[in-house]
């Protein structure tokens, strides 16, 4: 049992220099490891019970389960939950340990064609009027329309953009790129999408969307951006911390970004990792893992992705991403991480403290690793034959150890997978329990259940409905 704990909790790693520990110290390490396991929820963690959106009511169909999101509907800093059923969008509000029914409703029904993927896949919850409450925008056959949050329900607005079926927007290469970044930092969502001629954005005037100079002409059909391995990677992170969205995407050569210079995107490239087609980043299991979390909490989006050998991150600098890569969990293809039931569940959430930790679904359930990026720059490198030196952030009596010297001068460790640190085991959403099916694993999210208390959760839909787990005190 003790030996199983040591290896299961990643206390000894095959790359690490072996060190002697007494059985008592080893047992203390195992007992001190923080866990999210379902058999310890009662004594260590909490749950929030969600709607009974079970298989028996048809929620195992993609037109329903893929629409589940966690917007803040009443501006209280707590995640609520919405999803589309046959009659339209239903929402439940967070009340301590449960989501409860509300009056929020929008009739995007099957009868009106909203069970078609070119429509239901575009449902989003941006903040359109800057009141701190999530609204709804979605694309129908006539174009994009937004519905404002009244505090009790959603009502039609004057926000409309004619990205219609007649203009080809029913094709995924276009409608799948619709996003709502804040381009001018006014707290109101604008709208961007990729046309045949490249990326085009419209600004929010307060009552409608109007034309702008925010474009990226290079990302056109003529330059092959109508292929999934390129258009599916378009994101709008804030790379320089000015509260204005920039734009990034992966071309055949690697990551390309353009900074927001106030009224347009820069024509010069903000250089990113060379995650090119030539080194297999045109494979879905890699390019679909690309995300832009702020892993060092400096207010600037960084970049992380999963290659065949595991997760790797690069920090945002003044005019490029860092050439030094920061090592994450070794979630390798050899261990089955090329399957969507694993790589598509990778997320970044402040499970412990304020820095973004990393979580995903393994064969046995959710596992999270603590972020130690603040110690990454302390690392020096071993001369052959030199013994490793460790830093104990909470004193030598605690099990967490930060390596001050390690062998690689190219990749630095930042998550607890490669040091003796805190590893959290989450809900047992395992393959054996059916969570390798898309109707379950694709609903896994890591919402901020309470931003006021910095409490994040792990939420997902089982055959019985929604349940969320979180660590810490009562909400």
């Amino acid at each position: 049992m003790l030996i199983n704990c040591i290896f299961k909790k990643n206390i000894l790693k095959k790359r690490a220099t072996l060190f002697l520990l007494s059985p008592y110290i080893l047992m203390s390490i195992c007992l001190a490891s923080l866990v999210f396991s379902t058999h310890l929820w009662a004594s260590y963690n909490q749950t929030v019970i969600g709607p009974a959106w079970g298989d028996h009511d048809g929620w195992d169909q993609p037109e329903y389960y893929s629409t589940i999101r966690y917007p803040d509907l009443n501006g209280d800093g707590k995640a609520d939950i919405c999803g589309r059923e046959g009659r339209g969008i239903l929402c439940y509000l967070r009340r301590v340990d449960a989501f409860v029914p509300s009056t929020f409703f929008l009739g995007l029904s099957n009868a009106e064609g909203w069970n078609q993927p070119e429509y239901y896949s575009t449902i989003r919850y941006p903040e359109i009027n800057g009141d701190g409450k999530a609204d709804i925008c979605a694309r129908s056959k006539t174009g994009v329309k937004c519905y404002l949050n009244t505090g009790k329900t959603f009502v039609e607005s004057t926000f409309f953009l004619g990205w219609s079926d007649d203009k080809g927007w029913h094709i995924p290469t276009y409608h799948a790129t619709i996003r709502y970044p804040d381009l001018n930092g006014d707290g109101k969502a604008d709208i961007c999408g990729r046309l045949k001629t490249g990326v085009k954005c419209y600004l929010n005037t307060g009552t409608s969307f109007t034309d702008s100079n925010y474009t990226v002409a290079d990302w056109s059909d003529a330059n092959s951006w109508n292929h999934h391995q390129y258009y599916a990677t378009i994101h709008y992170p804030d790379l320089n911390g000015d509260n204005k969205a920039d734009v990034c995407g992966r071309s055949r050569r690697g990551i390309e970004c353009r900074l927001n210079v106030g009224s347009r995107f820069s024509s010069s490239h903000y250089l990113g990792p060379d995650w090119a087609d030539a080194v297999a980043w045109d494979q879905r299991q890699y390019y679909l893992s690309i995300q832009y979390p702020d892993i060092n909490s400096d207010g600037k989006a960084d970049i992380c992705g999963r290659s065949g050998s595991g997760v790797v991150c690069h920090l945002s600098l003044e005019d490029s991403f860092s050439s030094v890569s920061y090592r994450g969990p070794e979630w390798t293809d050899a261990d089955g991480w090329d399957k969507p039931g694993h790589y598509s569940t990778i997320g970044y959430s402040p499970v412990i403290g304020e820095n973004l930790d990393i979580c995903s679904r393994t064969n046995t359930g959710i596992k999270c690793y603590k972020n130690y990026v603040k110690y990454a720059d302390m690392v020096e490198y071993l001369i052959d034959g030199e013994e490793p030196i460790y830093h104990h952030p909470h004193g030598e009596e605690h099990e967490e150890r930060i390596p001050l010297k390690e062998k690689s001068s190219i990749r630095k460790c930042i998550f607890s997978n490669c040091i003796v640190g805190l590893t959290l085991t989450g809900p047992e959403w395992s393959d054996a329990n059916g969570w390798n099916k898309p109707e379950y694993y694709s609903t896994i999210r890591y919402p901020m259940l309470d931003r006021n208390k910095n409490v994040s959760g792990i939420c997902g839909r089982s055959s019985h409905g929604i349940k969320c787990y979180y660590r810490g005190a009562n909400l």
Side-chain angles (χ1 to χ4, degrees):
M1 177 179 176
L2 177 59
I3 297 300
N4 182 59
C5 170
I6 295 169
F7 284 97
K8 185 174 181 181
K9 299 298 180 187
N10 298 306
I11 292 170
L12 299 180
K13 302 296 291 182
K14 60 185 178 182
R15 299 184 315 277
T17 302
L18 293 178
F19 54 93
L20 296 177
L21 293 174
S22 74
Y24 299 103
I25 296 175
L26 290 175
M27 182 63 76
S28 297
I29 292 173
C30 290
L31 292 177
S33 297
L34 300 180
V35 293
F36 270 156
S37 56
T38 52
H39 61 281
L40 292 177
W41 284 128
S43 57
Y44 287 94
N45 296 282
Q46 312 291 336
T47 60
V48 179
I49 305 301
W53 291 343
D55 292 0
H56 60 282
D57 288 325
W59 282 87
D60 56 345
Q61 300 303 305
E63 59 264 36
Y64 306 134
Y65 70 73
S66 69
T67 68
I68 297 171
R69 295 294 186 274
Y70 296 86
D72 181 1
L73 297 175
N74 51 7
D76 63 355
K78 300 176 182 179
D80 306 304
I81 186 171
C82 296
R84 198 194 72 85
E85 61 157 26
R87 296 179 296 121
I89 294 176
L90 300 175
C91 297
Y92 289 63
L93 298 178
R94 254 283 319 288
R95 291 290 183 268
V96 189
D97 59 354
F99 293 100
V100 299
S102 76
T103 56
F104 284 94
F105 178 78
L106 185 62
L108 306 185
S109 67
N110 290 353
E112 295 180 353
W114 285 92
N115 56 343
Q116 300 303 308
E118 60 264 37
Y119 308 135
Y120 70 71
S121 68
T122 69
I123 296 171
R124 295 292 186 274
Y125 296 85
E127 191 180 322
I128 293 296
N129 56 2
D131 65 353
K133 302 173 184 177
D135 306 299
I136 290 181
C137 294
R139 197 197 72 86
S140 70
K141 64 181 180 180
T142 60
V144 176
K145 185 176 290 187
C146 296
Y147 304 83
L148 297 183
N149 181 337
T150 67
K152 294 183 178 180
T153 190
F154 301 104
V155 296
E156 196 165 332
S157 75
T158 54
F159 287 91
F160 177 79
L161 196 58
W163 287 347
S164 64
D165 288 5
D166 291 344
K167 295 179 180 178
W169 282 87
H170 61 294
I171 302 172
T173 187
Y174 308 126
H175 72 68
T177 67
I178 297 172
R179 295 294 184 271
Y180 300 88
D182 182 1
L183 297 171
N184 53 7
D186 65 354
K188 301 174 184 177
D190 306 302
I191 186 170
C192 298
R194 201 195 68 83
L195 297 73
K196 289 183 179 181
T197 54
V199 170
K200 177 69 176 175
C201 300
Y202 294 78
L203 293 177
N204 182 336
T205 68
T207 56
S208 64
F209 295 117
T210 189
D211 199 3
S212 80
N213 293 321
Y214 286 96
T215 62
V216 185
D218 291 348
W219 297 356
S220 64
D221 287 8
N223 289 328
S224 300
W225 281 79
N226 54 334
H227 295 289
H228 193 259
Q229 62 265 39
Y230 308 131
Y231 75 74
T233 68
I234 296 173
H235 295 268
Y236 297 87
D238 180 4
L239 299 175
N240 54 5
D242 64 355
N243 295 317
K244 299 176 183 178
D246 307 301
V247 63
C248 295
R250 196 197 70 85
S251 73
R252 60 182 177 83
R253 296 179 296 273
I255 298 297
E256 299 179 6
C257 299
R258 312 290 177 88
L259 291 179
N260 183 334
V261 294
S263 60
R264 59 182 176 83
F265 295 121
S266 171
S267 58
S268 59
H269 288 187
Y270 181 101
L271 297 178
D274 56 351
W275 293 345
D277 291 4
V279 288
W281 278 87
D282 58 344
Q283 303 300 304
R284 297 175 67 92
Q285 62 267 34
Y286 308 138
Y287 68 76
L288 288 179
S289 72
I290 296 171
Q291 299 181 56
Y292 294 85
D294 178 8
I295 59 173
N296 60 350
S297 301
D298 66 350
K300 303 174 184 178
D302 307 304
I303 186 171
C304 297
R306 194 197 70 85
S307 71
S309 57
V311 174
V312 63
C313 299
H314 295 259
L315 299 182
S316 56
L317 304 177
E318 183 176 349
D319 56 5
S320 68
F321 289 105
S322 63
S323 57
V324 174
S325 60
Y326 294 77
R327 188 170 68 247
E330 291 181 341
W331 290 336
T332 67
D333 288 359
D335 290 331
W337 283 87
D338 55 346
K339 296 181 175 62
H342 299 314
Y343 71 74
S344 69
T345 68
I346 295 173
Y348 301 85
S349 180
V351 180
I352 312 170
E354 296 183 356
N355 285 334
L356 295 180
D357 307 306
I358 187 170
C359 300
S360 192
R361 197 192 72 84
T362 70
N363 289 334
T364 57
I366 300 292
K367 182 167 285 188
C368 300
Y369 294 103
K370 185 176 178 180
N371 182 337
Y372 286 96
V373 70
K374 64 182 178 180
Y375 299 109
D377 291 333
M378 297 168 61
V379 175
E380 298 176 4
Y381 304 105
L382 289 177
I383 300 171
D384 287 345
E386 189 177 7
E387 290 297 316
I389 300 174
Y390 294 97
H391 166 66
H392 299 263
H394 302 298
E396 293 191 3
E397 69 275 14
H398 292 273
E399 77 277 8
E400 293 183 71
R401 309 187 323 147
I402 312 301
L404 297 188
K405 294 190 176 183
E406 60 176 29
K407 291 186 177 179
S408 170
S409 61
I410 301 174
R411 306 177 72 195
K412 298 183 180 182
C413 172
I414 55 170
F415 293 106
S416 61
N417 59 290
C418 48
I419 62 174
V420 181
L422 299 180
T423 300
L424 294 94
T425 305
E428 292 176 354
W429 293 341
S430 64
D431 290 2
N433 290 330
W435 280 83
N436 55 346
K437 297 178 181 179
E439 57 264 40
Y440 309 131
Y441 73 70
S442 67
T443 69
I444 294 173
R445 297 288 186 276
Y446 307 95
M448 289 298 296
L449 292 178
D450 193 331
R451 291 188 180 278
N452 306 310
K453 298 180 180 180
N454 198 43
V455 176
S456 66
I458 301 172
C459 300
R461 193 196 73 85
S462 71
S463 59
H464 303 294
I466 301 292
K467 183 177 280 190
C468 297
Y469 298 85
Y470 66 94
R471 172 185 174 272
N474 292 331
L475 292 176

